[in-house]
Amino acid sequence: KSGLDPSGAWHAWGMACLKAGNLSSAREKFNRCLKPPMDLNQLNHGSRLVQDVIQYLESTVKPILIADDDYFATLRELEATLRTRSLSLEMMCEGKIQHNSYYQECLFYLHSYGTNLAIISFYMRHDCMREALLHLLNKESPSEVFIEGIFIPSYESGKLHVLENLLETIDPGLESWGVYLIAACKYLQRKSYYHILYELQQFMKDHVRAAMTCIRFFTYGAKSYTELGGKQTWLLKIKDHLKVYLQEVSRSSGRKKMAFTFRKKMSATDVSRHISTVDLQMEVTKFLHRCESSGTSQMTGSSLPTLFGNNNMKMDVACKVMLEGKNIEEGFGIAFRVLQDFQLEATEVYSKVAKQLVKQQKYGEIRQLLKCVNESGVAAKNDGDNIILNCLNEFKNIPAEDLDNLIQDMDSDENKIQAYVMCNKLRSAYLVSVRQEKTRAVQLVQHVRQLAESSGDDVVKAICVQWL
């Protein structure tokens, strides 16, 4: 008459019937106030009213029995419950607990008015993981329901291996679980739970992704190559994963249909290239570890470069290897292979190294660098000259004798003249200019005369005028 919402009254009446043990009346009363959710896959446990009913049924001290009403029934039920707790999961839900009326009643309300997450969470609370997984598959629930309802509770309670065994029992190829497993990996990556991620990837036989996780274990948090030296087992694991992947690819290449649809794929060529990278990184690690241990290491940087980074980082590795040995020659071989394997801009790297040597005032080492570059067999004609010119561009204060030695080492007279001009050694520039072919010599000497005039060097200007 007053137009009030009667659902509260029906719910209270239903709860009273439950408490009195009258299950059929309770169902009838709840039917008038409980409604199924609009979306069964929403990430909650349904309405508060349904949750109250389930909570009461689960907390009932004396389970209500469907069949016999004798005094020993409750004792038998309790004994069955306690015994099935210690049995395996499959036994668990096939045992007497399923015939417990409160368990069946919970399932009735959950299936009638609960979400898929609520049903799955109920199964998980009662150690019926198999039923939870089958419900997930049958209802084709989204991966969020798997993460929230099954995966998180499994690893938090230390039952990840139990989950993995069940997934494999239900589908040995794991194909049905692909979308759920990939979602679990993404979740673990977001949370930075890399150890659980690695364990899961190994279970999935997703060798390429497992190798990528090993790369992170190798590089993460290392401040020196001494630290990386102690983490080389991860490099061996990367190689193992990639080799196993190659074997699987070659085995399945004969079949028409390629299996492992949810596992990361990579061409055999790329995998072989990555294995070469790992081998080279092992060499780099051993070399730099030795340098740091013997105290020849001088470079300190905020981030530690490895060959698993981008091209700039790989170039930093090449520089580091050349600069940290006893001399340039010691690390040049490894650095050269880095440059060749990744097709990096060699002149840029050599110039970077030369500039660093100028800062360290190791002018003799620059000459050794030029010798190594020329003997490498792939240097272009002017590579050595360009390295020196790049240095002179930045450093004007190289001691005279060392400067002369560097310029004398240059191949091209034109480049020598340019170098002398850059360092304002106009007399030396004039002396090289006059040695050129007549027409070119005239042009060069005129240029030197103009520079001498503008810089007020009357002596060189007079020499040039006289020659001209």
Side-chain angles (χ1 to χ4, degrees), residues 211-273:
M212 289 157 76
T213 305
C214 290
I215 290 174
R216 192 198 178 271
F217 284 133
F218 174 70
T219 55
Y220 184 72
K223 296 284 188 291
S224 69
Y225 261 89
T226 305
E227 282 181 51
L228 286 184
K231 296 167 87 175
Q232 288 187 75
T233 46
W234 289 114
L235 293 176
L236 295 172
K237 285 184 180 179
I238 297 168
K239 275 184 74 172
D240 289 343
H241 284 300
L242 294 176
K243 282 177 178 174
V244 171
Y245 177 78
L246 273 182
Q247 286 165 4
E248 287 182 357
V249 168
S250 63
R251 272 205 304 270
S252 61
S253 60
R255 302 171 202 158
K256 284 184 181 176
K257 188 183 166 200
M258 174 75 173
F260 319 130
T261 49
F262 64 90
R263 298 173 180 94
K264 189 168 178 65
K265 293 187 183 64
M266 195 177 272
S267 72
T269 318
D270 283 347
V271 175
S272 301
R273 198 160 40 78

Side-chain angles (χ1 to χ4, degrees), residues 86-326:
S86 62
L87 296 175
S88 70
L89 287 180
E90 283 101 328
M91 285 297 293
M92 185 69 187
C93 292
E94 290 163 8
K96 292 184 181 178
I97 193 167
Q98 270 197 318
H99 305 302
N100 180 326
S101 55
Y102 98 86
Y103 178 92
Q104 295 301 331
E105 208 61 19
C106 282
L107 286 179
F108 166 77
Y109 285 107
L110 285 167
H111 282 287
S112 304
Y113 310 109
T115 61
N116 285 327
L117 181 60
I119 296 167
I120 284 167
S121 299
F122 174 79
Y123 281 133
M124 291 295 285
R125 279 199 302 280
H126 294 278
D127 287 337
C128 296
M129 196 186 282
R130 183 189 178 85
E131 274 66 19
L133 288 167
L134 291 173
H135 182 85
L136 180 88
L137 268 191
N138 293 337
K139 299 296 177 185
E140 295 180 352
S141 293
S143 48
E144 291 81 6
V145 174
F146 170 73
I147 303 285
E148 204 71 35
I150 299 175
F151 186 69
I152 295 175
S154 294
Y155 79 69
E156 283 184 347
S157 60
K159 291 181 180 172
L160 191 56
H161 285 298
V162 176
L163 171 62
E164 289 172 352
N165 290 339
L166 274 173
L167 293 175
E168 217 162 20
T169 306
I170 295 167
D171 178 4
L174 300 179
E175 289 299 320
S176 327
W177 307 113
V179 67
Y180 298 117
L181 289 168
I182 294 296
C185 289
K186 286 178 180 172
Y187 167 81
L188 292 170
Q189 201 162 2
R190 277 199 309 277
K191 289 281 187 182
S192 297
Y193 296 162
Y194 286 98
H195 288 279
I196 304 174
L197 173 64
Y198 182 52
E199 189 186 321
L200 189 62
Q201 286 167 337
Q202 289 180 93
F203 161 71
M204 291 160 64
K205 298 183 175 58
D206 195 347
H207 294 292
V208 175
R209 287 194 180 97
M212 289 157 76
T213 305
C214 290
I215 290 174
R216 192 198 178 271
F217 284 133
F218 174 70
T219 55
Y220 184 72
K223 296 284 188 291
S224 69
Y225 261 89
T226 305
E227 282 181 51
L228 286 184
K231 296 167 87 175
Q232 288 187 75
T233 46
W234 289 114
L235 293 176
L236 295 172
K237 285 184 180 179
I238 297 168
K239 275 184 74 172
D240 289 343
H241 284 300
L242 294 176
K243 282 177 178 174
V244 171
Y245 177 78
L246 273 182
Q247 286 165 4
E248 287 182 357
V249 168
S250 63
R251 272 205 304 270
S252 61
S253 60
R255 302 171 202 158
K256 284 184 181 176
K257 188 183 166 200
M258 174 75 173
F260 319 130
T261 49
F262 64 90
R263 298 173 180 94
K264 189 168 178 65
K265 293 187 183 64
M266 195 177 272
S267 72
T269 318
D270 283 347
V271 175
S272 301
R273 198 160 40 78
H274 286 305
I275 290 173
S276 300
T277 301
V278 174
D279 284 334
L280 195 47
Q281 180 63 56
M282 287 182 93
E283 262 191 81
V284 167
T285 306
K286 283 171 186 165
F287 178 77
L288 291 175
H289 182 199
R290 197 172 69 243
C291 293
E292 285 181 6
S293 304
S294 63
T296 57
S297 170
Q298 292 182 359
M299 282 183 82
T300 50
S302 51
S303 65
L304 197 63
T306 68
L307 299 178
F308 301 119
N310 57 22
N311 276 359
N312 285 338
M313 194 183 264
K314 289 175 181 130
M315 287 163 90
D316 287 345
V317 171
C319 291
K320 195 173 175 66
V321 168
M322 279 191 265
L323 288 163
E324 296 214 0
K326 288 197 290 286

Side-chain angles (χ1 to χ4, degrees), residues 353-363 366 394-395:
V353 171
K355 285 173 187 175
Q356 201 68 33
L357 290 170
V358 172
K359 278 183 187 171
Q360 295 171 11
Q361 299 184 340
K362 293 182 174 177
Y363 306 109
I366 298 175
E394 222 164 288
F395 304 99

